[in-house]
Amino acid sequence: MDAPLCDRLGALDEAIRETMPGLQEATDRLVARLRESGVGAAAPQVGDSMPDFLLPDPTGKLVDLDGLLAAGPVALVFHRGHWCSYCRLSVDALAQANDAAKAAGLQIVAIVPDVQEFAEAFQADARGAIPVLCDVDNGYAASLNLVVWIGDELMALTRQAGIDLPRYHGNDSWSLPIPAAFIVGRDRRVLARFVDPDYRKRMPIDDMLTAARRACTETR
């Protein structure tokens, strides 16, 4: 668990390929289709203005982007939910890196489509180190062109694995956000981005810190 996030995700990928036959192959097929159709390309690019939001945390407190940016650059990291093993690894790594992020002047914020009960569980996964916001029904993620339907094949395999997405998300759309990340400067401009339809890939934390340090240097 002390290895870089990308190494942890790779190890998890190999384990799932052995223990859950068919799942990773189905995911490979979905990812290939999504990439071919250009999913994620229309999400905010570096230099674009990041749209504001008003989202609740697990306690119901409303949080907006401009309010967060008043304290400095923000990393908005979209996750599929607490039920996702890859997302739990991601938020654990982000929590471990939180001190380094603060030293770089960066706030890390996780966004999930889970309803309050399960967003609280994800907050516990993060050990309270970083805030978690609830994007129920994927409203904000959809406005950024990040939401995809998982398809019939993965829907069946997800059900077979005992994962009840309608319960976790409060709807039966079977749609999920791409686990993207955006580093946003105080002027709301995107400083760096990571958008990949393969949920098994995540933005390296070092890339987040580098973008934040560069932003702090440029504003001095």
Side-chain angles (χ1 to χ4, degrees):
M1 294 298 289
D2 291 329
L5 175 59
C6 293
D7 292 347
R8 298 192 217 177
L9 295 171
L12 176 60
D13 186 43
E14 292 179 8
I16 290 178
R17 285 187 186 275
E18 294 180 2
T19 59
M20 301 179 70
L23 177 60
Q24 299 296 55
E25 291 76 11
T27 299
D28 292 340
R29 288 189 287 273
L30 175 63
V31 169
R33 291 195 298 271
L34 294 176
R35 284 184 173 153
E36 185 177 354
S37 62
V39 168
Q45 302 287 329
V46 172
D48 288 350
S49 179
M50 195 72 179
D52 197 8
F53 59 74
L54 188 64
L55 297 174
D57 67 13
T59 70
K61 177 185 176 183
L62 292 174
V63 177
D64 68 298
L65 177 58
D66 286 341
L68 291 169
L69 291 174
V74 174
L76 299 177
V77 189
F78 290 80
H79 295 79
R80 305 196 307 158
H82 90 289
W83 54 271
C84 173
S85 300
Y86 293 88
C87 293
R88 289 199 299 274
L89 276 183
S90 170
V91 80
D92 179 77
L94 293 172
Q96 288 184 357
N98 194 45
D99 287 344
K102 287 181 177 179
L106 181 69
Q107 307 169 76
I108 300 175
V109 177
I111 300 177
V112 294
D114 293 351
V115 297
Q116 179 179 356
E117 174 187 357
F118 303 108
E120 288 177 348
F122 200 61
Q123 183 88 67
D125 292 334
R127 302 185 299 282
I130 61 176
V132 173
L133 301 180
C134 308
D135 186 23
V136 176
D137 294 333
N138 285 306
Y140 186 56
S143 76
L144 304 178
N145 299 296
L146 293 175
V147 179
V148 297
W149 178 57
I150 69 173
D152 290 326
E153 185 178 26
L154 274 178
M155 186 188 302
L157 289 169
T158 301
R159 283 174 167 155
Q160 289 175 20
I163 298 172
D164 187 356
L165 283 189
R167 177 174 174 239
Y168 298 142
H169 294 171
N171 63 65
D172 60 359
S173 70
W174 289 85
S175 296
L176 293 169
I178 296 172
F182 300 89
I183 313 306
V184 185
R186 296 188 72 167
D187 60 358
R188 246 211 256 172
R189 297 292 173 182
V190 177
L191 305 173
R193 76 194 285 271
F194 179 92
V195 179
D196 191 326
D198 189 344
Y199 65 81
R200 299 164 297 190
K201 312 295 184 185
R202 306 296 167 108
M203 186 179 201
I205 292 172
D206 283 347
D207 291 356
M208 296 184 187
L209 301 181
T210 297
R213 294 187 186 109
R214 187 186 309 122
C216 291
T217 300
E218 291 174 354
T219 56
R220 284 175 185 167

